[in-house]
Amino acid sequence: MLTVETVSAADAPDTPAARRLLSLTPDALRRAFPFLILLDAELHILEIGASLAKALPLARVGRSLHDVFRVTQPVASRDPAQWIAEAGALCTLRPIVTPQMMLRGAVEPLADGSILLLVSPVFASMDHLSALGLRFSDFARHDAVTDLLLMARSMQMAAHDTQRMARRLRERGDQLNAVLDLSINGVGYFGPDGVLQLNNARFATLLELEAERMTGLRLAMLDDHLAHLLAGADRGRLALTDWARAGSPDEPLHLCLGEADPRHVCLRLRHTHEGGTIVYVQDTTREAQIDRMKSEFLSTAAHELRTPMASIFGYTELLLFKSFPPEEQRSFLQTIHNQTALLVDMVNELLDLARIEAGREKEFRLAPTRLDAIVSRAQRAIAPSAARHELRISLDPGDAMLMVDAAKTHRALLNVLSNAVKYAPNGGVIEVTSCREQRGGRAMIGVRISDQGIGMNAQQLERVFERFYRADPSGEIPGTGLGMSLVKEIMELQRGEVTVQSQPGVGTCVTLWFAEFANPAAAESPIGVSEGVMPSEIQKRS
């Protein structure tokens, strides 16, 4: 049994009644000092605390103290007598293999000549403690290091949590900024003080805000800016702040900004819990244009369909309820036939446009096709209606290969030729020629159709590709106004283009530009040749 005697400082050391003995069993001593070291008179280790043995496996019984530790206190630590002389004094040890750990405690010489070192570890951080494989249970309950380590661990965990939350906030902020920057819609946040604190670039673009106006921008200032941009009679009637308070959070506010080139935007405002305001801006210009075009299309289509149907209904009603001479009946039937043909053409062209727009490239079957084959096929198709015209065809080179959909290209060329015949009602020459050009860095073949018809002015020329638009509004020239729209769709979906030049009273020149197919092997292929005839077979027709 290890016995420790303590003497009260208030009592005389030689008074037996005053002397109290306190005895500890070896197990109690080891529990109270789990890092103790017991040395013999030669400073060899006789016993070592369980926790210290766990942290320092090299500190085994029988080894010299100086083989395991570097002793800082006492200074003359290699002299056993010095240890005895330092009874109750401070001793500091640092393990040689683990210098980040330090042991501090008191020297207690024992009666049998051995030396007891009652020490505790000092750590710089929780990482050092974990690296040695120690836990809080390895320390004595009365040891202050437990409280210090617990506090350090709590602070370290709090710091790690703070760093993790800060990292997550940064990541979330980066994600939010990326989403805002990539968004096609504008977002702006006005703080509780009404000043703009956050916005993406699209916000400034849609609302036509210059960079110098963004700093310090207030919601009331944005209100004034938009009120000035409002088109027509709505100018000056905007009150965003009042509207945000009175309106539903999800109720949109539609604005038309500008006069010459109007921009349609849709605003949504929502208040935050802290009193800020989020302004969400969506560009609805395209939707407004589509709605306008749809309304115009429906109105025009209804008008164009109603005209021939009214003629058909009127003449059939006359034939049903009245008697007419055979010559008049035939004239009525001819009118009904012509108007019905016009309706059929209009419906077919509408269906063609709808199929092309719905299927886009899927509706096209591109293949190498000879230029002269396409022109010859269109020539034969237009011949019956071009009896009063002289059709001159000059293709150079006529054997050029085009990568096109033969059927669709025939339809486009036939539409242009049909217009040349209809808009030159008094006859004249219709020339079909070809040419080669570099357009946009590509080798292109152009098929040019020129007539001597009524022509178009600059305003009419700008609208030539609009659906249902007709340069002659009199109605004397039959047609649906869809032909050139269809031509443009067909050419663009074949990576080609169409250009139109015209002068009133002189005539019109339409050029269809095709990408040239320059594969020599394909040039010898019969694909497309069966559609028409060779250049030598193309004749002038009057």
Side-chain angles (χ1 to χ4, degrees):
M1 175 183 294
L2 289 173
T3 302
V4 179
E5 293 184 354
T6 62
V7 180
S8 173
D11 299 332
D14 56 351
T15 304
R19 181 177 295 129
R20 297 197 301 267
L21 296 179
L22 177 64
S23 298
L24 292 176
T25 65
D27 289 340
L29 185 64
R30 294 186 186 98
R31 287 194 299 272
F33 301 97
F35 291 88
L36 65 80
I37 302 174
L38 182 62
L39 305 174
D40 62 12
E42 301 298 327
L43 302 181
H44 290 87
I45 299 175
L46 293 177
E47 186 176 347
I48 190 167
S51 297
L52 185 57
K54 179 179 179 181
L56 299 174
L58 294 179
R60 296 189 296 269
V61 174
R63 298 197 65 178
S64 171
L65 176 70
H66 291 86
D67 291 341
V68 181
F69 297 97
R70 181 169 60 85
V71 182
T72 306
Q73 293 286 342
V75 178
S77 59
R78 293 189 177 274
D79 183 2
Q82 184 64 32
W83 287 91
I84 295 174
E86 294 283 343
L90 173 69
C91 71
T92 57
L93 314 174
R94 194 177 291 275
I96 295 174
V97 296
T98 315
Q100 71 268 27
M101 176 182 178
M102 185 176 69
L103 299 174
R104 299 175 70 253
V107 180
E108 295 293 341
L110 301 181
D112 60 359
S114 59
I115 301 170
L116 181 62
L117 305 181
L118 302 177
V119 293
S120 295
V122 177
F123 293 99
S125 69
M126 288 290 297
D127 293 335
H128 295 161
L129 178 66
S130 301
L132 294 172
L134 295 176
R135 299 182 177 181
F136 293 129
S137 58
D138 295 320
F139 295 85
R141 299 297 180 266
H142 63 81
D143 199 335
V145 74
T146 304
D147 296 334
L148 294 175
L149 289 175
L150 183 60
M151 183 182 299
R153 181 179 182 183
S154 299
M155 293 178 66
Q156 190 176 42
M157 291 177 64
H160 287 168
D161 289 342
T162 302
Q163 293 173 357
R164 185 169 62 254
M165 290 299 296
R167 184 171 60 254
R168 288 182 179 178
L169 286 174
R170 284 195 302 270
E171 292 174 354
R172 189 65 179 271
D174 292 341
Q175 293 171 0
L176 179 60
N177 289 335
V179 170
L180 291 177
D181 290 340
L182 293 174
S183 175
I184 62 173
N185 299 317
V187 179
Y189 171 70
F190 292 82
D193 57 354
V195 178
L196 181 66
Q197 296 183 1
L198 174 68
N199 69 279
N200 60 355
R202 191 66 174 158
F203 180 82
T205 302
L206 291 178
L207 299 183
E208 302 180 20
L209 290 164
E210 297 83 3
E212 56 271 15
R213 298 194 60 179
M214 301 300 291
T215 304
L217 180 69
R218 292 181 172 273
L219 191 59
M221 296 167 61
L222 177 63
D223 197 339
D224 294 339
H225 172 72
L226 294 179
H228 179 71
L229 291 178
L230 285 176
D234 292 333
R235 178 167 295 172
R237 296 183 179 179
L238 186 65
L240 284 180
T241 308
D242 296 339
W243 177 83
R245 293 194 186 100
S248 170
D250 296 321
E251 181 182 353
L253 180 63
H254 297 279
L255 304 177
C256 179
L257 307 179
E259 296 280 359
D261 187 17
R263 179 194 297 273
H264 295 264
V265 295
C266 174
L267 271 65
R268 286 183 171 86
L269 278 69
R270 182 163 297 182
H271 293 296
T272 61
H273 294 295
E274 66 275 12
T277 303
I278 299 174
V279 180
Y280 181 81
V281 188
Q282 183 179 6
D283 188 355
T284 57
T285 304
R286 179 172 173 78
E287 288 79 359
Q289 291 175 345
I290 290 175
D291 287 342
R292 178 183 58 80
M293 292 172 61
K294 181 175 67 174
S295 299
E296 292 179 355
F297 172 79
L298 291 175
S299 175
T300 307
H303 174 75
E304 294 296 333
L305 289 170
R306 182 177 60 184
T307 301
M309 290 179 67
S311 297
I312 294 171
F313 180 79
Y315 282 110
T316 53
E317 190 174 37
L318 287 173
L319 290 172
L320 283 173
F321 297 105
K322 290 186 178 182
S323 297
F324 295 94
E327 295 79 8
E328 287 191 63
Q329 290 184 13
R330 181 171 180 82
S331 176
F332 291 168
L333 290 173
Q334 184 64 50
T335 302
I336 292 172
H337 180 270
N338 293 340
Q339 296 298 321
T340 304
L342 185 63
L343 282 176
V344 171
D345 288 343
M346 188 182 303
V347 171
N348 286 336
E349 288 180 338
L350 283 172
L351 290 175
D352 285 342
L353 283 171
R355 278 194 294 266
I356 289 174
E357 290 184 347
R360 303 301 289 176
E361 291 85 350
K362 296 180 182 179
E363 288 287 329
F364 282 72
R365 300 292 183 266
L366 303 182
T369 309
R370 285 181 60 141
L371 171 62
D372 51 16
I374 296 173
V375 174
S376 180
R377 181 182 176 188
Q379 176 201 8
R380 294 197 306 272
I382 199 64
S385 59
R388 299 178 59 186
H389 298 74
E390 180 183 355
L391 191 60
R392 298 177 184 175
I393 298 177
S394 175
L395 303 179
D396 182 24
D399 59 352
M401 300 297 291
L402 311 178
M403 181 61 72
V404 294
D405 183 311
K408 298 289 193 304
T409 304
H410 169 73
R411 181 63 181 271
L413 184 55
L414 190 59
N415 280 359
V416 178
L417 286 171
S418 177
N419 283 345
V421 170
K422 289 187 296 184
Y423 287 95
N426 298 322
V429 177
I430 297 176
E431 290 186 327
V432 180
T433 59
S434 64
C435 58
R436 265 198 179 101
E437 278 190 19
Q438 287 287 328
R439 299 178 66 85
R442 295 187 299 158
M444 305 287 283
I445 296 288
V447 179
R448 184 169 289 123
I449 301 95
S450 303
D451 63 54
Q452 298 175 341
I454 61 176
M456 293 179 286
N457 58 35
Q459 291 75 20
Q460 293 170 326
L461 199 57
E462 288 181 358
R463 303 184 59 187
V464 69
F465 296 115
E466 289 186 18
R467 296 179 186 182
F468 293 108
Y469 178 75
R470 300 175 63 190
D472 175 47
S474 66
E476 296 179 359
I477 299 176
T480 63
L482 295 171
M484 292 305 292
S485 299
L486 189 58
V487 170
K488 186 173 185 291
E489 292 282 351
I490 291 173
M491 294 305 297
E492 289 182 349
L493 286 175
Q494 297 183 122
R495 297 186 63 207
E497 56 182 300
V498 53
T499 58
V500 183
Q501 295 172 325
S502 187
Q503 290 185 16
V506 177
T508 301
C509 177
V510 179
T511 307
L512 306 181
W513 294 98
F514 301 91
E516 184 175 5
F517 185 69
N519 189 339
E524 300 176 359
S525 171
I527 296 177
V529 175
S530 60
E531 297 286 347
V533 294
M534 303 304 290
S536 59
E537 301 174 18
I538 299 179
Q539 305 292 331
K540 293 182 181 179
R541 187 175 184 86
S542 58

